[in-house]
Amino acid sequence: MKNKELLKIVGYFVLICLSFYIATRSYFEDKKIQTICWIVIGSRNVYDFVRRIKNSKKEEYERNSDNHAE
């Protein structure tokens, strides 16, 4: 795994944690619309994060299978 990829993973993880932290804080301050918005943002970040991990594993698998085929 390259350092750049690791930095992207850490960045996404921080974004996810931050968005759910803000959503929780907004919930306890009775700001329902803001809470819903931050939950949607956090969920989208989780979706992108999982999609990136799946794509990177798929690319790695294809790269390894190409090396074994030769």
Side-chain angles (χ1 to χ4, degrees):
M1 183 177 291
K2 298 178 185 176
N3 288 337
K4 194 172 187 178
E5 291 176 18
L6 183 62
L7 185 62
K8 286 181 182 181
I9 289 172
V10 170
Y12 264 101
F13 185 74
V14 169
L15 277 174
I16 291 165
C17 290
L18 183 63
S19 59
F20 284 116
Y21 168 75
I22 293 172
T24 304
R25 196 179 80 194
S26 300
Y27 174 76
F28 287 119
E29 293 176 357
D30 285 335
K31 297 179 181 176
K32 294 181 186 200
I33 301 294
Q34 189 175 1
T35 302
I36 293 169
C37 291
W38 280 108
I39 289 173
V40 168
I41 291 169
S43 300
R44 179 162 162 62
N45 287 336
V46 168
Y47 172 76
D48 286 341
F49 182 64
V50 170
R51 186 177 50 85
R52 278 182 179 263
I53 289 175
K54 283 184 178 180
N55 286 342
S56 68
K57 286 184 180 181
K58 183 178 178 182
E59 290 173 2
E60 186 177 313
Y61 175 76
E62 289 173 353
R63 194 176 320 127
N64 287 338
S65 65
D66 288 343
N67 289 341
H68 292 298
E70 293 176 355

